[in-house]
Amino acid sequence: MKITNVSIRKVEKEDSRMKGIASVLLDDEFAVHDIRIIEGTKGLFIAMPSRKTSVGNYRDICHPISQEVRSMFEKTILDAYENASDEEVSEDEE
């Protein structure tokens, strides 16, 4: 499996740790949207798409199973974020 395309939308929202939204294309066949790029205490990390459960917890909709694939996603997405133009900025994201 290869990540064949990454799209980044940088987010500038006051008092928000979220810095961007990524979409990835896997093997030019499968898309994953709404991967959040978040500023944590140890730097940037990614959070996979999730939804709120009936009891108020959040559950990932899709996610890598192995640490190797998670690391591949994180490195590829964060590299694309660092190289994304500041013109790709949205101020009205959640």
Side-chain angles (χ1 to χ4, degrees), residues 3-80:
I3 296 176
T4 50
N5 188 36
V6 179
S7 297
I8 300 291
R9 214 170 50 241
K10 289 188 173 184
V11 175
E12 287 184 4
K13 188 173 181 182
E14 197 172 319
D15 297 330
S16 177
R17 296 183 330 138
M18 187 168 67
K19 301 302 178 189
I21 303 285
S23 294
V24 298
L25 188 59
L26 304 172
D27 294 328
D28 288 325
E29 299 284 336
F30 190 82
V32 180
H33 301 288
D34 297 331
I35 301 170
R36 293 176 317 284
I37 300 166
I38 299 174
E39 181 73 48
T41 57
K42 297 180 182 180
L44 294 173
F45 67 93
I46 63 169
M48 298 304 288
S50 61
R51 66 177 170 167
K52 199 171 194 177
T53 66
S54 60
V55 294
N57 298 326
Y58 285 88
R59 183 175 175 103
D60 286 350
I61 294 169
C62 61
H63 57 89
I65 299 299
S66 71
Q67 184 59 46
E68 177 184 358
V69 174
R70 178 170 255 314
S71 295
M72 177 187 67
F73 265 73
E74 192 156 75
K75 179 179 180 353
T76 304
I77 291 168
L78 295 181
D79 286 350

